[in-house]
Amino acid sequence: FTLKDIGGLTLNFTVSHHFWEKDYYHEYDCWSDHMLASVLTINNTVSGVSLNPEGGWSHPVNKDVKTHIEQKKDVYVPNPEYKGDFYVLVTCSTDCICSAYNYTVL
């Protein structure tokens, strides 16, 4: 998406993982949705500068930390060890010179 007229503002970009009611396809060894992390990139079209590190910001993934845990047969809850949310603050001067900081995994 594109934001316009943000000079002089501080913006909080938050990316959150949406947990479904169950862990789909967990019975397949080849399925590893817990390893698919969202990536946030921010480009300043006024200055032509990319504000993010190479590859963008993302949350950490770990092959041993699934998105859900099974409480009992076919009853799943989000895994509290799965860190799927993060945010980045962006501050722009009135001339729309922007910088990003405070990347935080929640």
Side-chain angles (χ1 to χ4, degrees):
F1 58 89
T2 301
L3 300 174
K4 295 182 178 186
D5 300 323
I6 61 167
L9 298 179
T10 296
L11 306 167
N12 180 2
F13 291 88
T14 302
V15 177
S16 298
H17 178 87
H18 175 78
F19 290 96
W20 296 103
E21 290 182 17
K22 64 177 273 180
D23 190 11
Y24 292 96
Y25 310 114
H26 65 278
E27 66 273 13
Y28 298 106
D29 290 337
C30 63
W31 185 251
S32 56
D33 67 330
H34 63 288
M35 296 299 290
L36 302 173
S38 297
V39 176
L40 174 64
T41 59
I42 301 175
N43 299 306
N44 184 332
T45 58
V46 172
S47 66
V49 173
S50 176
L51 302 181
N52 50 271
E54 186 175 336
W57 295 282
S58 189
H59 64 81
V61 294
N62 181 325
K63 67 181 179 68
D64 297 321
V65 179
K66 304 281 188 177
T67 57
H68 293 75
I69 53 177
E70 190 172 19
Q71 284 189 325
K72 57 185 178 181
K73 183 159 177 54
D74 294 326
V75 176
Y76 296 86
V77 295
N79 185 348
E81 292 183 25
Y82 184 79
K83 303 298 181 196
D85 303 338
F86 65 93
Y87 71 86
V88 176
L89 293 177
V90 174
T91 299
C92 297
S93 70
T94 55
D95 296 329
C96 215
I97 305 302
C98 303
S99 61
Y101 60 98
N102 207 27
Y103 160 76
T104 304
V105 174
L106 304 171

